[in-house]
Amino acid sequence: MLALRLARGAHPVVLLRRLAVAAAAGGTGFLLLCTMGYALGHPDAGRASVLRLLWCLPPLAATVQLAVAVARTDPGTRPHQGLSAVGLGPNRLMILAAVNTLVSCTLGSMLALLFFLHLRGDLTGLPMDGDAAELLGAGQPLPLAAVLTLLALVPLAASVAAAVVLRPRRLRPGDERDHA
């Protein structure tokens, strides 16, 4: 509920950043699903499928980097006076930022799945149904575990990276930092 209130009261630039993360996660998720579709449609091309999967690593790294950058610049993740009194200290704000990143990336991954199924021809009633059916292995059933694993890869990697980057640092005696 707090994340919804923060999103409703957020500046439009913050929402555009989150939308950019969702779009990047969707593009990466779509690349991963296309790789799986190619592997399903060409079972004899094992090495080519592995190379295609390796080509998905740079977009995955770029999406994670973008998600971390957006999480770091989110004004809702900065500690403010009085938030610790209501239970939103630095640790909880880090968790909130990781959950916001997870939600944004999951939205993008779900849109990628819908677009993939649409181009594959599994969803009907829209223009361009099945236009890429032969490229995406439309004759083969989709393995549910593989789809869920590939779609969960981007949101989990991005939210874990955001949590690691935003974790509160312990100050050593004698260190001074400005928390303003």
Side-chain angles (χ1 to χ4, degrees):
M1 189 64 161
L2 180 63
L4 179 62
R5 294 190 104 190
L6 288 174
R8 284 185 51 210
H11 196 271
V13 174
V14 174
L15 295 177
L16 283 175
R17 287 184 205 138
R18 290 182 189 160
L19 187 62
V21 169
T28 304
F30 184 72
L31 284 175
L32 289 166
L33 289 173
C34 288
T35 300
M36 183 194 62
Y38 178 83
L40 287 173
H42 303 88
D44 54 339
R47 185 171 184 188
S49 297
V50 171
L51 286 175
R52 285 178 183 247
L53 190 59
L54 289 176
W55 271 104
C56 292
L57 287 179
L60 176 65
T63 301
V64 169
Q65 177 65 30
L66 176 67
V68 167
V70 167
R72 289 180 71 186
T73 60
D74 192 356
T77 61
R78 294 191 187 108
H80 300 285
Q81 284 185 329
L83 285 180
S84 292
V86 294
L88 287 176
N91 289 327
R92 295 268 173 104
L93 288 176
M94 178 258 316
I95 292 170
L96 184 63
V99 169
N100 280 337
T101 302
L102 182 74
V103 168
S104 296
C105 290
T106 302
L107 172 69
S109 292
M110 291 301 107
L111 290 175
L113 177 63
L114 287 175
F115 190 62
F116 175 77
L117 291 175
H118 172 65
L119 287 180
R120 194 169 183 256
D122 292 338
L123 301 177
T124 58
L126 298 171
M128 299 187 321
D129 282 339
D131 280 354
E134 61 275 352
L135 294 174
L136 301 176
Q140 305 292 327
L142 283 177
L144 181 63
V147 170
L148 292 178
T149 301
L150 289 176
L151 288 179
L153 185 65
V154 177
L156 289 177
S159 63
V160 166
V164 167
V165 168
L166 294 174
R167 73 182 185 275
R169 308 277 192 260
R170 293 199 184 262
L171 293 177
R172 289 185 225 138
D175 286 346
E176 291 184 26
R177 274 196 193 168
D178 184 17
H179 291 294

